[in-house]
Amino acid sequence: MNGVLVCSDLDRTLIYSAAALGLRGRDADLPRLLCVELYRAAPLSYVTETAARDLQALAGTAALVPVTTRTPEQYARVHLLDKPPAYAICANGGHILVDGVDDPDWAAAVRTRVADGRAPLAEIRAHLAAATGEFVLKRRVASDLFAYLVVDRAALPPGWFDDLAGWCAARGWRTSLQGRKIYCLPEPLTKSAAAAEVARRVGADAMLAAGDSLLDAELLAAADAAIRPAHGELHDTGWTAPHAAVTAAQGIAAGEEIAAWLLARATADAPPIRPSAPWRTL
Ligand SMILES: [Mg+2]
């Protein structure tokens, strides 16, 4: 390994469901895809074959760490590489998996930290349970740390999400709207804190990051160099940073562009170093 740590979100950054491909009406342009996730024996998530090759090459040179809001169980369905990466971050930083096994000390430390001085998960659950309406399809709790709703986006009442975001913010929680999911997470539960911990453990010299949602913003901000796709929450809110690139493409083609960008930066003679990058002091 060359001292470069590559921390990348999965869904809508590297891997894409059929609904997120972004190729509607352009079927003839579809590149060949590789299915990287099955759910109940049906194909669910894809990368382009080119992206799959680049990610494999990336994992052969740098430490590639999937950093996802998925629970460990949801992450276990994703087969991004020939062999699972040595480290993975799940539950938005709530779990660090080492060779596929949860690190119990990290999980316990995170739970202590997020419980400090904010509304308990039970209060958030009760609030979400009171949200009735045909737009609510499912209510879920993840890793006993945070809650999310699966919603019908088209039926979401105007202003409902903003009201929820305000209610959560007053209680030390934050929200994220991604595809069909609305997440409510305690503010200190961050991908960047777990990424900094993995960086320490592998002795990284540089960190690259990629992500598409508001839950990825700190991770991108913490890295030496970062990239986000031209779609998703960060795109919709116009998020930018001097050290962060934006893809030209959208959808799964952006995923391919991100894999190529990460590979090029991770294998450059001099990887991008930003001495003030926050991951060094997190
Ligand atoms: Mg994502």
Side-chain angles (χ1 to χ4, degrees):
M1 295 297 152
N2 67 355
V4 179
L5 182 70
V6 179
C7 293
S8 181
D9 173 51
L10 291 175
D11 293 271
R12 294 189 177 85
T13 297
L14 292 182
I15 71 175
Y16 292 77
S17 66
L21 289 178
L23 291 163
R24 273 182 293 279
R26 296 195 292 129
D27 292 351
D29 300 333
L30 183 74
R32 280 210 313 193
L33 303 182
L34 180 71
C35 177
V36 293
E37 180 184 19
L38 294 179
Y39 181 58
R40 295 181 176 163
L44 184 58
S45 300
Y46 304 88
V47 297
T48 70
E49 287 195 348
T50 302
R53 280 193 295 273
D54 283 350
L55 291 171
Q56 201 59 50
L58 181 60
T61 318
L64 174 57
V65 180
V67 183
T68 178
T69 305
R70 288 175 176 238
T71 62
E73 297 74 24
Q74 292 165 338
Y75 166 72
R77 299 195 302 253
V78 179
H79 301 287
L80 192 64
L81 304 168
D82 293 344
K83 285 193 310 185
Y87 286 93
I89 292 168
C90 295
N92 214 65
H95 293 283
I96 294 177
L97 307 189
V98 186
D99 293 324
V101 179
D102 183 38
D103 177 336
D105 294 338
W106 175 260
V110 167
R111 280 156 180 75
T112 302
R113 184 153 41 86
V114 303
D116 197 25
R118 72 203 66 255
L121 175 60
E123 185 177 339
I124 309 302
R125 287 184 72 179
H127 188 71
L128 293 177
T132 51
E134 292 193 349
F135 68 99
V136 180
L137 304 178
K138 293 174 190 167
R139 292 180 182 83
R140 293 284 182 266
V141 168
S143 293
D144 220 16
L145 275 171
F146 61 90
Y148 63 92
L149 298 176
V150 180
V151 298
D152 176 355
R153 276 286 282 269
L156 196 61
W160 189 88
F161 176 75
D162 291 339
D163 289 348
L164 175 69
W167 185 89
C168 283
R171 286 159 180 79
W173 286 64
R174 61 186 173 146
T175 46
S176 176
L177 175 58
Q178 304 177 35
R180 298 166 66 236
K181 289 181 178 161
I182 292 176
Y183 293 93
C184 301
L185 297 95
E187 276 164 5
L189 183 66
T190 62
K191 292 182 171 185
S192 54
E197 171 68 14
V198 173
R200 276 191 289 277
R201 294 187 189 188
V202 303
D205 302 315
M207 183 190 292
L208 304 177
D212 72 300
S213 83
L214 288 177
L215 299 180
D216 299 309
E218 293 133 358
L219 180 66
L220 271 54
D224 289 291
I227 185 167
R228 68 158 176 86
H231 63 241
E233 262 184 329
L234 292 178
H235 190 68
D236 294 344
T237 55
W239 186 92
T240 57
H243 67 286
V246 181
T247 63
Q250 295 187 314
I252 197 167
E256 181 175 303
E257 209 178 318
I258 289 166
W261 188 94
L262 292 171
L263 177 62
R265 297 303 177 287
T267 54
D269 289 339
I273 300 271
R274 200 163 56 102
S276 62
W279 73 267
R280 293 194 168 82
T281 50
L282 274 175

